[in-house]
Amino acid sequence: MVKHHVYWWNLESLFDIENSPRRSEFLNDHLGVELKEWDSVILDKKIANLTSIISKFNDNNGPDILGVCEVENEHVIKLLIAAMNMSLNKNYGFVISEGGDKRGIDTALIYDNAKYGPEQDIFSLRVIKRNTTRDLFQVHIKTATGNKLIVYLITGLLAQEAN
């Protein structure tokens, strides 16, 4: 029986420094105090702290699959993955769902390329009440044994189903 070491983590506002949608007037009005000191030094420290903990998952082997939320964009997820790859000597890939949340808060799926093939199929569903919020994000990937693994990223939750 093949085990998949699957984890979920809220990165709690892993924001970018450049090309950041959060620098809009809306965000400055709503999150100005929290963002005032956010700079490259703090971003680098946050990436280092996250990597330190994530590297301990799965008996210090790192996750096979890691679903994350509250990541601003592709650039910062690439920074996190580069740090994870260096720390764990692995080659992680990712898929991100760039949602319509005005705060720039998205979900992403990180996976070990040695154990999973490139994504086959991606499906997103935006849940809209008054404003767009995080998506329901479904990703189909192949396992090393050729099976399909369907991973669902739901606000605050990660579920999996294999066939």
Side-chain angles (χ1 to χ4, degrees), residues 13-64:
S13 304
L14 182 60
F15 286 135
D16 198 352
I17 301 303
E18 301 172 12
N19 302 317
S20 177
R22 68 185 168 81
R23 300 205 186 234
S24 69
E25 185 177 321
F26 170 84
L27 288 176
N28 286 334
D29 290 346
H30 291 84
L31 298 176
V33 174
E34 290 88 351
L35 301 177
K36 185 177 180 184
E37 305 279 329
W38 193 258
D39 60 16
S40 61
V41 173
I42 292 173
L43 175 60
D44 291 346
K45 183 170 176 84
K46 183 161 183 140
I47 295 285
N49 289 342
L50 289 169
T51 302
S52 172
I53 300 302
I54 292 168
S55 297
K56 293 180 175 144
F57 293 176
N58 183 21
D59 294 325
N60 297 315
N61 292 304
D64 294 337

Side-chain angles (χ1 to χ4, degrees), residues 27-144:
L27 288 176
N28 286 334
D29 290 346
H30 291 84
L31 298 176
V33 174
E34 290 88 351
L35 301 177
K36 185 177 180 184
E37 305 279 329
W38 193 258
D39 60 16
S40 61
V41 173
I42 292 173
L43 175 60
D44 291 346
K45 183 170 176 84
K46 183 161 183 140
I47 295 285
N49 289 342
L50 289 169
T51 302
S52 172
I53 300 302
I54 292 168
S55 297
K56 293 180 175 144
F57 293 176
N58 183 21
D59 294 325
N60 297 315
N61 292 304
D64 294 337
I65 295 174
L66 175 62
V68 296
C69 69
E70 292 197 20
V71 57
E72 185 176 10
N73 57 32
E74 188 173 313
H75 176 71
V76 290
I77 203 73
K78 284 180 178 178
L79 293 175
L80 177 61
I81 288 172
M84 289 169 55
N85 285 341
M86 185 177 293
S87 174
L88 293 162
N89 196 26
K90 291 198 177 195
N91 180 22
Y92 284 103
F94 75 97
V95 182
I96 189 168
S97 175
E98 298 267 359
D101 189 303
K102 288 182 182 179
R103 299 166 296 169
I105 295 177
D106 300 322
T107 55
L109 180 74
I110 299 169
Y111 56 91
D112 184 344
N113 277 313
K115 296 182 179 186
Y116 305 95
E119 67 277 0
Q120 299 174 344
D121 199 13
I122 299 171
F123 171 77
S124 285
L125 173 67
R126 292 217 163 86
V127 179
I128 300 176
K129 285 188 164 188
R130 285 176 260 169
N131 297 315
T132 302
T133 184
R134 296 177 197 115
D135 298 349
L136 167 62
F137 187 39
Q138 176 180 321
V139 180
H140 300 209
I141 55 179
K142 277 192 179 175
T143 66

